[in-house]
Amino acid sequence: MTDESNNSAPESDLSTPETSNDADGSDGHPGSETDPDISTGPSDLDDVILDNLDTGSDDPSDEASRGLFDDLLEGEPIFENKEVLRPSYTPHKLPHREEQINNMATILVTALRGDTPSNILIYGKTGTGKTASAKFVSEELETTSQKYEVPCEVEYINCEVTDTQYRVLAQLANKFIDKNARLIDDRIAELEDLQSRARENTAAALEETAFDSLDDIETEISSLEVDKAEFEEVPMTGWPTDRVYSSFFDAVDYHERVVVIMLDEIDKLVEKSGDDTLYNLSRMNSELENSRVSIMGISNDLKFTDFLDPRVKSSLGEEEIVFPPYDANQLRDILQARSDVAFKNDALTEDVIPLCAAFAAQEHGDARRALDLLRTAGELAERDQTDNVLEDHVRQAQEKIELDRVVEVVRTLPTQSKIVLFAIILLEKNGVHNINTGEVFNIYKNLCEEIDADILTQRRVTDLISELDMLGIVNAVVVSKGRYGRTKEISLSVPTEETEAVLLSDSRLGDIDDVQPFVQARFDN
């Protein structure tokens, strides 16, 4: 086929058959000559495909696909550094926590002298700066220890995630095994460098060292390699707990150092696994030869030590530091300090920070809640492609965060509590107001029969309603019905539709086809 055939455009419609001559090196595009006796070949399909892929297509869906993120990137970003507003961020300065920080530093400074610091228990409600302050002090401690070449280390464990004795010990063991391996590698590298210099001039290279010969260096290298090989990483399951503890003990005692183990949400560990972990950690100093261990426990629950063995309680709570809630003015200072780093200049209107602080102050002075509010308000403003974060964005953020909280609480309820809550929702959806315990129990029984669940007693159902009340999901008030006695009048405190959707996402409740509530005779007078 000639060069003209490759460049010629088809002049007839696609019904006109055209040849494809692969033997002549044709690329399958239609040529200027056609044979009406040959059926339509692949060349016609190629034309269709190529036409559809033409970049000059007027199909608006192509433009939408290509511009999906372009429109979103057109506006100027509001955030300078959003990470500053996240709970994981540790600021360089913590306003209104100077007293607590100084108390911690006073206790831990003994570690820099090579002595064992007292164990510390830190108490305070969520969002009062406990973890941020403890991490800040820990970072300062490690930095200062490096400055003065004092071996001091801090290891952080989140006991809400790592909530069993096995997991805590395994995680600690593996951290120290990894540190020991790196220490050994660095030491071997130093010895190999010394060995290399000693081969050139033995006397000069070994003059101020503990080695008398090349053989001594080789022996030390071999010993270190044996040490490294003996450190076996602990699997997250499968070993006896005694073996895990032994691995942790050997790893932490490998060389001289002071170790501070920070156990965040320590009450979750005690609740799940008892106090065996704390007992072992608080007593191990009597057996350690090279290292010393101190415990720093952080808890939202001031009463969790009531459940500890008296011996553990006495050794663990040597020093106690309480973090009081922030007030609205303190929250405003915290938000102002973070927003200066987190947002572009003049991104916030004047009423944004005071409103975030006021909302969070209602939640027992929760700085974490205040920061979440400010960050979410900024994200909502960016989605609206506005230049500023407004008061309305804060109010929208408050509604969104509250709904997210409700969804998470409802999602993690035990099945029996979900059934009770579903019964209350069904009653409200059927127009029943001032719902009483008996009405809830009747619907609850129907639901249990429908999904083949165990039916609890009415007294136990009443207890579950009280628990839902404590979680803020329902509002239950005891009222007198005169000669009919006293009962609880129950109403929902959360959005009905969203809560029902979360409940129906549970596999068991999702199997319910159609349950019409049966409402007993009610006593309104």
Side-chain angles (χ1 to χ4, degrees):
M1 189 174 288
T2 64
D3 290 336
E4 285 94 340
S5 68
N6 281 333
N7 296 326
S8 62
E11 297 179 356
S12 58
D13 59 43
L14 292 175
S15 62
T16 305
E18 303 182 7
T19 61
S20 172
N21 191 348
D22 292 337
D24 291 338
S26 169
D27 57 4
H29 285 241
S32 58
E33 297 178 359
T34 62
D35 186 346
D37 295 327
I38 301 177
S39 62
T40 301
S43 57
D44 300 319
L45 294 177
D46 289 346
D47 279 334
V48 175
I49 294 169
L50 289 170
D51 286 345
N52 284 342
L53 291 175
D54 187 352
T55 55
S57 171
D58 294 330
D59 187 349
S61 65
D62 289 347
E63 291 183 17
S65 177
R66 288 195 302 275
L68 180 61
F69 291 101
D70 295 338
D71 293 340
L72 298 174
L73 290 170
E74 280 181 0
E76 285 294 319
I78 286 178
F79 289 104
E80 186 75 47
N81 182 3
K82 191 192 296 186
E83 297 307 309
V84 171
L85 300 176
R86 297 195 184 276
S88 56
Y89 175 77
T90 303
H92 300 298
K93 185 179 179 182
L94 287 151
H96 307 292
R97 285 296 176 252
E98 292 83 2
E99 180 184 345
Q100 288 79 10
I101 287 172
N102 287 334
N103 286 345
M104 278 188 271
T106 303
I107 297 166
L108 294 174
V109 70
T110 56
L112 298 173
R113 302 188 182 107
D115 298 325
T116 309
S118 298
N119 296 323
I120 307 173
L121 277 182
I122 298 171
Y123 298 104
K125 290 184 178 292
T126 302
T128 52
K130 303 182 303 297
T131 302
S133 298
K135 284 186 173 181
F136 173 79
V137 172
S138 299
E139 289 174 7
E140 287 289 310
L141 180 66
E142 289 192 313
T143 301
T144 309
S145 73
Q146 293 168 6
K147 176 181 176 183
Y148 292 104
E149 297 183 348
V150 178
C152 183
E153 303 168 15
V154 181
E155 293 298 341
Y156 174 84
I157 300 286
N158 183 347
C159 298
E160 189 166 24
V161 178
T162 311
D163 58 357
T164 65
Q165 179 176 206
Y166 187 105
R167 290 175 184 170
V168 169
L169 295 176
Q171 190 168 324
L172 287 170
N174 288 334
K175 284 184 176 185
F176 286 110
I177 287 170
D178 183 58
K179 285 187 174 185
N180 292 343
R182 282 186 272 121
L183 181 75
I184 291 171
D185 288 340
D186 291 343
R187 180 59 178 154
I188 289 175
E190 291 175 4
L191 291 174
E192 287 176 342
D193 178 62
L194 176 62
Q195 192 178 47
S196 176
R197 287 185 284 111
R199 287 195 179 100
E200 297 176 3
N201 188 335
T202 304
L206 302 181
E207 185 176 359
E208 295 184 0
T209 70
F211 302 103
D212 296 325
S213 66
L214 282 167
D215 289 342
D216 291 344
I217 299 174
E218 187 62 40
T219 300
E220 180 66 12
I221 291 174
S222 298
S223 175
L224 289 170
E225 289 173 342
V226 170
D227 287 348
K228 183 178 178 181
E230 288 178 349
F231 285 122
E232 183 180 357
E233 184 175 340
V234 180
M236 293 315 294
T237 57
W239 282 12
T241 306
D242 289 348
R243 183 181 175 189
V244 179
Y245 176 78
S246 179
S247 292
F248 161 63
F249 185 95
D250 292 341
V252 77
D253 204 35
Y254 181 66
H255 68 87
E256 184 179 347
R257 57 185 155 198
V258 177
V259 175
V260 178
I261 298 174
M262 192 191 308
L263 299 174
D264 201 358
E265 307 280 2
I266 190 174
D267 48 297
K268 299 289 194 300
L269 175 64
V270 174
E271 181 183 328
K272 177 79 177 285
S273 306
D275 57 12
D276 288 348
T277 311
L278 303 181
Y279 181 82
N280 288 329
L281 292 176
S282 62
R283 298 283 168 172
M284 66 188 300
N285 280 327
S286 60
E287 301 173 8
L288 291 169
E289 294 181 3
N290 300 314
S291 61
R292 291 289 177 265
V293 171
S294 175
I295 300 170
M296 182 190 296
I298 303 173
S299 173
N300 300 328
D301 184 0
L302 289 129
K303 296 183 178 180
F304 95 95
T305 55
D306 294 348
F307 304 101
L308 296 178
D309 182 288
R311 293 170 298 173
V312 177
K313 187 175 180 180
S314 63
S315 61
L316 188 64
E318 293 172 336
E319 299 280 355
E320 295 185 353
I321 300 174
V322 177
F323 280 66
Y326 295 108
D327 60 32
N329 290 329
Q330 291 173 332
L331 289 171
R332 191 180 304 184
D333 292 341
I334 293 167
L335 292 176
Q336 188 63 60
R338 297 283 187 102
S339 67
D340 290 343
V341 183
F343 290 96
K344 300 281 189 182
N345 289 336
D346 301 322
L348 306 181
T349 56
E350 290 183 359
D351 47 4
V352 166
I353 286 178
L355 186 57
C356 287
F359 276 138
Q362 295 171 5
E363 298 276 340
H364 58 255
D366 188 343
R368 191 175 300 175
R369 176 65 172 263
L371 292 167
D372 281 345
L373 263 175
L374 187 56
R375 176 178 51 79
T376 305
E379 290 171 345
L380 293 173
E382 274 196 335
R383 290 171 199 171
D384 288 347
Q385 295 188 326
T386 59
D387 295 329
N388 300 101
V389 184
L390 309 174
E391 177 184 337
D392 189 50
H393 292 127
V394 177
R395 297 191 183 279
Q396 291 176 32
Q398 169 77 349
E399 293 176 5
K400 181 180 184 299
I401 289 173
E402 183 59 28
L403 182 58
D404 290 346
R405 184 193 74 83
V406 169
V407 167
E408 182 61 22
V409 170
V410 172
R411 187 183 64 80
T412 55
L413 286 173
T415 300
Q416 288 288 346
S417 296
K418 286 182 178 179
I419 299 171
V420 172
L421 180 57
F422 195 31
I424 296 169
I425 289 174
L426 290 174
L427 285 162
E428 283 216 350
K429 287 184 69 176
N430 279 265
V432 181
H433 302 291
N434 299 326
I435 302 164
N436 63 49
T437 309
E439 293 166 345
V440 174
F441 185 67
N442 282 339
I443 308 305
Y444 162 82
K445 286 192 297 183
N446 292 341
L447 292 173
C448 286
E449 291 169 358
E450 181 76 14
I451 65 173
D452 196 25
D454 294 336
I455 299 176
L456 303 179
T457 63
Q458 185 164 339
R459 179 182 291 275
R460 181 64 186 125
V461 168
T462 303
D463 291 340
L464 293 179
I465 292 171
S466 297
E467 290 174 11
L468 293 173
D469 184 23
M470 283 177 26
L471 290 169
I473 297 173
V474 303
N475 183 34
V477 180
V478 178
V479 296
S480 173
K481 292 293 183 180
R483 63 192 180 92
Y484 297 107
R486 303 197 318 162
T487 186
K488 281 186 176 178
E489 286 194 347
I490 305 150
S491 59
L492 278 176
S493 302
V494 293
T496 305
E497 298 300 327
E498 289 84 350
T499 307
E500 183 181 15
V502 176
L503 291 174
L504 291 176
S505 67
D506 185 286
S507 57
R508 296 190 72 179
L509 291 175
D511 291 338
I512 299 175
D513 296 326
D514 182 29
V515 177
Q516 290 300 322
F518 169 77
V519 183
Q520 71 175 38
R522 305 175 65 249
F523 305 103
D524 293 326
N525 297 323

